[in-house]
Amino acid sequence: ISIRTEVYYQSLSGVATDPDDRDFSILNTGASFAFPNRVGLVSEGTGQNYGLELTVDKKLSNGFYFLLTNSLFQSTYEGADGQERNTFYNSNFVSNVLLGKEFRLSDKLVFQLNGRFTYSGGRRFTPIDLEASIAAGEEVRLEDQPFGAQLAPYLRPDLKIGFIFNAKNNLTHSWSVDFQNFINRQNEFFKTYDEDRMRIRTNRQRGFFPDVRYQLLFGG
């Protein structure tokens, strides 16, 4: 078993910003599904990332392994107005747990049981002004609060079971069923304004999904 810790600090300068859009920064690229189409950018922005990471790792031995990673961090930027704000990626924490166990049923047949658990802070977004949206009949964001709100934390547990059979002629058969998000948690994805119902609607990600696989591996 190995335990590793890391403390880091990253200072960014010369970041591309838009002098005509006080809170724009190229550091937030990826916040939408399109690359920002802008001209006249200047390299006057800044940003910083700092945090603490912990990793506990047990290599596979006696048919058992696990990996635990945990990260606490802050990610901020400054646009053309010099005001410090959260970046789109500032979810503040991410935790992952992987573990698995192999059971040898015979010389050729192995049963595998694996689990995966992810828990992290929700993604950042610019909040919606509900009253202004109702009055305008369309979505209006609080542009003076870019990435000032955060979705609910992301939670997803997976469970995978499978068999590996080592046949003759260097052939290996693998069967598995991956019960992804087996608690059927529909994590928040993004928020929009519903013009018909005049309310803020939360769009969610897919819940439970089983993934069945068969693989035939040819050995050398």
Side-chain angles (χ1 to χ4, degrees):
I1 297 178
S2 64
I3 301 176
R4 301 186 300 275
T5 59
E6 179 181 356
V7 178
Y8 65 90
Y9 175 80
Q10 180 185 40
S11 178
L12 305 173
S13 60
V15 176
T17 60
D18 189 341
D20 297 324
D21 189 348
R22 62 180 184 173
D23 53 46
F24 174 83
S25 172
I26 202 70
L27 294 179
N28 294 313
T29 299
S32 64
F33 295 103
F35 190 84
N37 184 18
R38 293 174 180 257
V39 295
L41 299 182
V42 294
S43 301
E44 297 180 357
T46 62
Q48 61 177 352
N49 301 297
Y50 58 91
L52 170 66
E53 294 187 352
L54 170 67
T55 301
V56 182
D57 183 16
K58 180 188 181 303
K59 302 298 184 183
L60 179 64
S61 61
N62 297 321
F64 177 68
Y65 77 93
F66 69 81
L67 174 66
L68 166 66
T69 62
N70 188 66
S71 179
L72 303 174
F73 59 90
Q74 282 286 106
S75 177
T76 60
Y77 77 99
E78 293 183 7
D81 61 359
Q83 181 177 341
E84 186 177 60
R85 299 181 175 90
N86 291 303
T87 68
F88 166 69
Y89 302 98
N90 193 23
S91 61
N92 298 125
F93 70 92
V94 178
S95 297
N96 290 284
V97 178
L98 298 172
L99 70 164
K101 174 68 176 177
E102 291 186 347
F103 301 89
R104 183 164 293 280
L105 305 180
S106 69
D107 292 340
K108 296 183 178 181
L109 184 63
V110 175
F111 172 69
Q112 293 182 322
L113 179 63
N114 297 281
R116 179 173 57 243
F117 176 80
T118 299
Y119 183 56
S120 70
R123 65 194 305 178
R124 296 276 176 175
F125 69 98
T126 301
I128 299 172
D129 188 331
L130 181 58
E131 294 183 359
S133 298
I134 294 174
E138 61 182 5
E139 183 178 281
V140 178
R141 298 273 176 171
L142 294 171
E143 299 299 340
D144 60 336
Q145 302 177 33
F147 308 114
Q150 193 171 12
L151 297 177
Y154 179 90
L155 174 64
R156 173 178 159 177
D158 299 338
L159 178 64
K160 182 178 180 181
I161 59 175
F163 289 90
I164 295 179
F165 180 72
N166 296 311
K168 296 180 180 180
N169 301 320
N170 295 319
L171 291 179
T172 299
H173 302 267
S174 174
W175 300 268
S176 66
V177 181
D178 191 356
F179 301 96
Q180 299 179 9
N181 194 4
F182 60 83
I183 63 173
N184 196 33
R185 178 182 172 90
Q186 297 179 348
N187 291 289
E188 295 183 355
F189 189 37
F190 61 91
K191 293 182 181 291
T192 56
Y193 173 65
D194 189 330
E195 298 179 8
D196 296 330
R197 299 184 179 181
M198 294 187 295
R199 65 178 179 85
I200 297 175
R201 181 177 64 192
T202 300
N203 297 271
R204 298 182 177 275
Q205 300 185 42
R206 182 181 63 191
F208 170 66
F209 182 78
D211 182 14
V212 181
R213 296 190 179 189
Y214 166 72
Q215 291 179 299
L216 181 61
L217 307 177
F218 298 88

